[in-house]
Amino acid sequence: MSSGDIWIIGASMTPFGRHDDKDLIDIAAESALDALGDADVTIEDIDILTMGNVYEANSHNGQRLQKQIGQTGIPVYNVVNACATGATALRVALLSIKAGESDIGLAVGVEKMGKGGLIGGAAKKRDARKVYSPNGRYGSVLKTEGILGTGIMPGVFAQAGTEYALAHGVTATHFAKVAQKNHAHSVLNPLAHYRKEFSLDDILNADVIAFPNTLPMCCPNTDGAASVVVVSDAKLKTMDPDVRRRAVKISASVLTSDPWVEGGQVQPDVSTLTRNAATAAYEQAGVGPEDLDLVELHDCFATAELIHYDNLGLCEPGGAGDFLDSGAPWRDGKTPVNVSGGLLSKGHPLGATGIANIYEVATHLRGEAGDRQITGAKVGLTHVIGLASACAVHILEAGVR
Amino acid sequence: MPGQIPVVDYLVLGDPPHLQARMCAQCDALYFDRRNACAHCGRRDFTWKALASTGQLRGYTQVHRAAPSVPVPYISAIVELDGGGVVKANLIDAQLDDITPGLTVTMTTFVAGVDDDGTEAIAFGYKPVKEQG
Ligand SMILES: [Zn+2]
């Protein structure tokens, strides 16, 4: 292949879940050291370190990580880009290699989510005296959440889903089926936060968070980290045959943001930037959706996964409900989606998610996914979306060396 | 008679109350907040446009879990207004079962709060337009 290719030679993911006994850097270090070991290199070999983290992003976590695993004087980039943070950190390392500044990079994504979650905390303490006066960009006199609809994540993604439902006739049961699938998949993943199957009735009858999403249709609060080691084509050629044999090619790496659409200021458009990223990625990799052996996509809520079947071109336009009903996205279906359990069951530590998706697909392409291995997987796609707004799509291919 | 103030400045409390938006002079893109330039075409000239009070419901959710200060449940709706503009607000006087593709809705106002001077904050929402019998 061309000398411009970038390869993954090491990948790791910590168990996702609650890690109350470890701080952010402990989790990041565990994952980084595992990835270095997996690549059969040391921190001394690394030319560039990129660190993705959202909630503690002003703490220079990349440098804090170096102090725990090796201060070798290399450039460090601390990256934040909403839920696409990890994938963006990978891209920063990749771009450095493409630019010829580095031969080998380490990208780490990590998050401790705490207990607040995506719903929002309690209101700030009120002043003693309440007098309405217009404030901020919209001249609001009080908090409008709940008065002028909802703009928080469960509601935003629920509204994105019902918009698709109204247009294409999918039902609340379709969305519940997405969660049923991902929870069932997670039973096979020893690193997943939850490993418990739910029946369709369990899911439909669970507490509603934002209709149609019930609790098992929303990602949990999860801590975790994931890391990858990436190298240039030239560097890979100098490496041990066993490293080369396990190398996974990054055939496409694309990052987009929201283009303007009417109404985008009141309801984030999670579809157009995904469609744009997918189109560019298929073009870059020279593969189509029909070539994909597995997909890890951004199912922060069940409603999101269903519309991304369509946005990523996995089904006919408008056909996401039929695609799901056909069994296609199940692990034994035509295009297995989120065989890791997805964000819904594996968990969603914001800064780690993008790299965890890469880890999952790369592990299948190496034939090392154990009980959940998709047999003979050769090509896979990863997708993450963050509000507002970033979408990263990567296409990975098994090495042919 | 207490005073009234709109909860957001793009709600105009007139007769009838209506929404207004800044409209790009070049491409007609609509914005509820002030803009440094148009996010669609980059031009910097804007005019005002009064928006229609009727439209079609495009997406929705019923929120059951929210921050402690937000009463639940309520239905949040995205409405495409006739003649242009998209707005998010509560769907009121309606149940989930009332929602059908292309549901026509019309704007209504309500008191969202009262401050210590007795001033009422007036918010807007949308209710379904009942079919003519
Ligand atoms: Zn414009």
Side-chain angles (χ1 to χ4, degrees), chain A residues 262, chain B residues 20-33 35 38 41 43-51 83-85:
Chain A
E262 182 163 46
Chain B
Q20 68 172 1
R22 288 178 175 81
M23 182 170 75
C24 174
Q26 172 74 19
C27 75
D28 293 355
L30 297 168
Y31 302 98
F32 289 129
D33 60 344
R35 288 283 151 161
C38 175
C41 74
R43 302 303 171 94
R44 298 169 67 172
D45 306 322
F46 293 87
T47 58
W48 289 101
K49 178 174 178 164
L51 303 183

Side-chain angles (χ1 to χ4, degrees), chain A residues 119-123 126 128-134 136-152 154-156 158-159 162-163 166 207-212 215 260 262-263 265-268, chain B residues 5-10 29-36 39-40 57-70 74 76-78 85-86 88-90 96 100-101 112-117 119 121 123-124:
Chain A
I119 288 173
R126 291 173 182 283
R129 198 175 142 69
K130 180 169 74 172
V131 177
Y132 291 143
S133 70
R137 204 158 256 279
Y138 297 91
S140 57
V141 302
L142 44 72
K143 284 187 72 164
T144 56
E145 176 66 24
I147 292 170
L148 298 180
T150 183
I152 59 176
V156 164
Q159 288 167 104
T162 57
E163 185 175 337
L166 288 172
D207 285 353
V208 179
I209 305 299
F211 178 87
L215 189 59
W260 182 91
E262 182 163 46
Q265 63 168 335
V266 297
Q267 165 70 7
Chain B
I5 188 168
V7 290
V8 285
D9 61 13
Y10 55 90
L30 297 168
Y31 302 98
F32 289 129
D33 60 344
R34 67 180 185 275
R35 288 283 151 161
N36 306 93
H40 184 213
L57 185 144
R58 190 178 93 184
Y60 66 98
T61 183
Q62 186 174 49
V63 176
H64 287 253
R65 195 81 66 88
S69 57
V70 177
Y74 64 94
S76 172
I78 303 160
V86 178
K88 188 181 278 187
N90 288 2
L96 282 181
T100 52
V114 182
D115 75 6
D116 291 341
D117 293 340
T119 303
F124 65 96

